[in-house]
Amino acid sequence: MRERSLVGVVCGLLVLIGALLTGCQSPSGGVAEDGRLGEPATGRTGTATVSPVPTRPSGYGAVFLAVGECSSFGTTSFTEVPCTGERAAARVAARHDGTVRDGPRCPSATDFVLHISEQRPALDEDGDGTVPQGYACMRNLQPPHPGDPGGGGGPRTIVGDCVYDSGDGKVHETACDGTGERQPQYEVVRAVAERSDCPGPTALYVRLGGKRPVGCARPL
């Protein structure tokens, strides 16, 4: 009788311990660190993944004709191209929205200006499908550089440039070395704030714009 009683007690203890162990197990969803119950388990294993946020490309194409990027040949029909490619002709020295008349002036060594009309290219300013009206101040990758002093071109007349009288009260820029269509008659030797600041032998005043808008030109 004693042996049966001991056996019965041992069996009862094992059943009780098993029930306690079963009750201590976490629910299928787990328990969060703050003690709250987690979401029901889905049966999948592994780590959670998050869809990556698309990022805009850097460098060529990230911004349409940004400073330092290059265009193909042409001033009325052009495309943005990698600067290392064979189609690259000029690099953007400055880029502004709006029109040349209302916007900032191009750098003095600008060879030509690209006027960018509002358009909807594949690659644009901010990914919204449009490029606003603007202009890019361009510098040729290879000589000649008409924007250099005496080069005979460029959007600005600067000190060192040469001009000729067109006969209608205006002057036009031409190459100082005589290689242009017209021979030079005057050279801009100084830029000043007022005409009275020009040196004595000044024969012509040329409008330059900027903080020193008067160009003092001497005859050649």
Side-chain angles (χ1 to χ4, degrees):
M1 294 294 294
R2 181 178 297 178
E3 292 179 358
R4 289 182 180 179
S5 297
L6 290 175
V7 171
V9 171
V10 171
C11 291
L13 290 174
L14 291 176
V15 172
L16 178 60
I17 292 172
L20 291 175
L21 291 175
T22 302
C24 291
Q25 290 179 354
S26 300
S28 60
V31 180
E33 292 181 354
D34 58 2
R36 294 177 297 176
L37 292 179
E39 297 295 331
T42 60
R44 296 180 181 180
T45 60
T47 58
T49 59
V50 179
S51 299
V53 178
T55 57
R56 295 176 61 94
S58 60
Y60 160 62
V63 176
F64 185 67
L65 284 182
V67 174
E69 294 180 347
C70 294
S71 74
S72 61
F73 294 90
T75 57
T76 58
S77 178
F78 57 89
T79 57
E80 180 181 319
V81 296
C83 290
T84 55
E86 61 181 9
R87 296 180 59 203
R91 190 186 304 273
V92 180
R95 173 76 155 80
H96 305 289
D97 292 336
T99 63
V100 174
R101 175 178 298 181
D102 301 327
R105 305 175 73 203
C106 283
S108 59
T110 300
D111 289 330
F112 64 95
V113 176
L114 289 180
H115 298 273
I116 303 169
S117 60
E118 186 174 354
Q119 53 189 294
R120 290 171 173 78
L123 297 171
D124 61 5
E125 295 282 346
D126 52 12
D128 64 355
T130 63
V131 171
Q133 181 184 17
Y135 58 98
C137 309
M138 308 300 296
R139 175 78 173 174
N140 292 330
L141 295 179
Q142 301 293 333
H145 295 290
D148 285 350
R156 293 179 52 185
T157 301
I158 59 177
V159 174
D161 281 342
C162 293
V163 297
Y164 66 91
D165 187 352
S166 61
D168 55 358
K170 298 180 181 179
V171 295
H172 297 279
E173 188 175 337
T174 188
C176 288
D177 61 5
T179 58
E181 294 182 359
R182 297 289 297 270
Q183 291 298 306
Q185 296 176 326
Y186 305 91
E187 180 183 358
V188 179
V189 296
R190 185 178 299 179
V192 297
E194 304 288 343
R195 289 190 175 188
S196 58
D197 298 329
C198 285
T202 299
L204 185 71
Y205 304 100
V206 181
R207 183 182 301 175
L208 304 181
K211 295 181 178 180
R212 294 185 293 176
V214 179
C216 312
R218 63 177 179 81
L220 295 175

